[in-house]
Amino acid sequence: MLSIALAGKPNAGKSTFYSAATMAEVDVANYPFTTIDANRGVSHVRTECPCLAREERCGTENCHDGKRYVPVELVDVAGLVPGAHEGRGLGNQFLDRLTNADAILNVVDASGGTDAEGEPVEVGTHDPVEEVDFIATELDRWLAGIVEDNWEAVERKSRSPEFDIDDALTDLLTGLGATDYEVATTIRELDYPADPMQWTEEDRRALAANLRARTLPLVVVANKVDVAPPENVERLLDLDRAVIPATAQGELALRRGEAGGALDYDPGDEDFEILGDVGDQREALETLRETMAEWDGTGVQRALDYAVYDLLDMLTAYPVQDATHWTDATGNVLPDAHLLPEGSTPVDLAYAVHSDIGDGYLHAVDARADRQVGDDYELEEGDVIKVVSTAN
């Protein structure tokens, strides 16, 4: 399962975002380091379900009338403060947890109501733009420190006549969790000395930053837009990177209202319907409705979707056993959905279903077009595929 991490300074709203996206109860308080142990839960990304092309909607609980929700892991780690790469605050152990994620949502307090340390201040008195590069910088410096600590071993290897700098870098960086492909594309973009003795600190930092950007892409979540000065949000949106305006508190209120039967709302909707008596919350809900109209929703679902489908370039494919009815062996319509990297083939989907299915792969059928496709066919978003395998 893909893993998305929430990162940011204390009190930026990460745990509220986590609760809203997972409906799990966590400690949320107005002081730094409320989260000590990382919270892990299941959230979902939203896409259009293929059942919309049929008369009958699929029966899975993850499809809401054609809105398909595909599970991903969401991890909420403790807030980070400047100097975390040196162990400050709760330090390196939390940076280490971030490196296990596939992408990071960098949650920023767009209201300017918390300072760099996560301490509450008057709204609008702290510049949220200062927080945008904070997580990336801490991760880059932390990784650079690890490279620095292991550089002596690279230098020792260079004394061998068979030494190759690219092979040495690959050994070093794959040990940090990068794939051979990620290392190869990273070092191809850099100019560096063939002799590790001639590398400077700047060379090693450039290597770490390039690798981090490739293996841990980030998207900025401008949280608390419902209480943020408009100029703060405008300046964040003017930055040369993806910034998703969000109100995690608003999303949490909607999710709880829907769970209690007071509201009709699906995550990612741009509006909601009040179904029952909401008492003195009606005015707050109407204000939230105005915020959602301005920003096309609460932003929580949009941020998750952007991380998976845009940052990570994933697609959703649906394996079935009956290509005519799009069902599994027991008649369930489109029961499963798998997230795969763009460029994946039916063989990749087979292995995603089960290693035995992949090992026994024979051929595949595009159920939408009702035709057999080749092993090198590149899957597209929403493909419904019957995998024929000796293991079926």
Side-chain angles (χ1 to χ4, degrees):
M1 185 183 297
L2 280 179
S3 181
I4 309 300
L6 296 167
K9 68 182 183 182
N11 206 30
K14 301 183 311 303
S15 293
T16 302
F17 189 111
Y18 176 87
S19 294
T22 64
M23 288 301 286
E25 293 295 329
V26 298
D27 290 333
V28 178
N30 194 29
Y31 54 83
F33 308 124
T34 306
T35 303
I36 302 299
D37 296 322
N39 297 307
R40 294 180 179 273
V42 175
S43 187
H44 298 82
V45 291
R46 171 173 162 168
T47 188
E48 186 176 282
C49 187
C51 72
L52 289 171
R54 303 175 67 88
E55 291 185 5
E56 181 184 358
R57 301 284 82 82
C58 58
T60 174
E61 63 179 12
N62 285 333
C63 179
H64 300 179
D65 196 26
K67 306 167 191 174
R68 187 67 179 233
Y69 293 90
V70 187
V72 294
E73 181 186 49
L74 190 61
V75 182
D76 172 29
V77 303
L80 297 170
V81 295
H85 68 283
E86 298 174 336
R88 187 167 179 269
L90 296 179
N92 290 338
Q93 60 180 310
F94 299 106
L95 289 169
D96 185 47
R97 287 171 179 167
L98 289 180
T99 62
N100 295 320
D102 295 293
I104 296 175
L105 300 181
N106 182 10
V107 182
V108 171
D109 178 3
S111 76
T114 46
D115 65 18
E117 304 289 331
E119 297 287 353
V121 296
E122 183 180 350
V123 168
T125 59
H126 182 73
D127 185 359
V129 174
E130 295 179 4
E131 316 297 337
V132 168
D133 293 322
F134 161 57
I135 295 299
T137 299
E138 290 295 330
L139 281 167
D140 291 350
R141 290 177 177 174
W142 179 69
L143 286 173
I146 295 176
V147 171
E148 188 77 36
D149 291 343
N150 289 274
W151 199 250
E152 185 178 345
V154 177
E155 292 177 340
R156 285 198 302 269
K157 290 180 181 179
S158 69
R159 298 168 188 155
S160 168
E162 293 82 23
F163 177 78
D164 181 278
I165 185 64
D166 289 357
D167 290 343
L169 291 176
T170 300
D171 289 344
L172 171 61
L173 299 179
T174 52
L176 298 178
T179 65
D180 288 344
Y181 174 77
E182 289 167 340
V183 175
T185 51
T186 294
I187 61 181
R188 190 164 56 237
E189 292 185 359
L190 298 173
D191 293 323
Y192 50 88
D195 181 359
M197 299 284 192
Q198 298 178 9
W199 278 56
T200 65
E201 183 178 354
E202 288 71 23
D203 290 328
R204 288 186 285 272
R205 284 188 175 181
L207 176 67
N210 193 295
L211 181 70
R212 195 279 312 155
R214 191 174 307 281
T215 59
L216 280 175
L218 291 88
V219 58
V220 175
V221 179
N223 193 31
K224 306 184 186 181
V225 293
D226 49 330
V227 295
E231 59 271 19
N232 279 13
V233 183
E234 291 172 7
R235 291 173 59 242
L236 287 166
L237 293 177
D238 284 342
L239 297 173
D240 59 346
R241 68 200 68 195
V243 177
I244 309 296
T247 166
Q249 190 64 55
E251 177 73 12
L252 183 59
L254 293 178
R255 293 291 300 272
R256 287 175 173 171
E258 190 278 331
L263 303 176
D264 181 15
Y265 172 74
D266 285 325
D269 285 355
E270 296 180 6
D271 200 358
F272 58 89
E273 181 181 355
I274 298 176
L275 301 178
D277 182 15
V278 292
D280 57 4
Q281 295 300 308
R282 180 173 292 273
E283 183 177 351
L285 286 170
E286 293 301 335
T287 300
L288 175 59
R289 193 193 302 275
E290 294 174 4
T291 300
M292 293 172 67
E294 182 176 4
W295 302 114
D296 301 324
T298 69
V300 170
Q301 188 65 57
R302 184 179 163 200
L304 290 164
D305 296 345
Y306 186 91
V308 170
Y309 291 114
D310 293 274
L311 279 185
L312 297 176
D313 291 325
M314 305 299 284
L315 58 84
T316 323
Y318 302 79
V320 296
Q321 291 196 37
D322 185 328
T324 300
H325 300 98
W326 297 6
T327 60
D328 62 10
T330 57
N332 297 309
V333 178
L334 298 171
D336 299 311
H338 289 270
L339 292 168
L340 297 169
E342 287 190 6
S344 294
T345 67
V347 179
D348 297 318
L349 176 60
Y351 275 105
V353 174
H354 196 281
S355 59
D356 291 345
I357 301 292
D359 290 342
Y361 178 88
L362 297 173
H363 66 269
V365 175
D366 179 346
R368 283 182 180 268
D370 192 25
R371 62 181 177 86
Q372 186 170 322
V373 293
D375 299 355
D376 59 350
Y377 167 74
E378 291 194 3
L379 297 171
E380 298 180 356
E381 171 64 31
D383 269 354
V384 181
I385 302 292
K386 175 183 179 179
V387 173
V388 180
S389 168
T390 57
N392 285 141

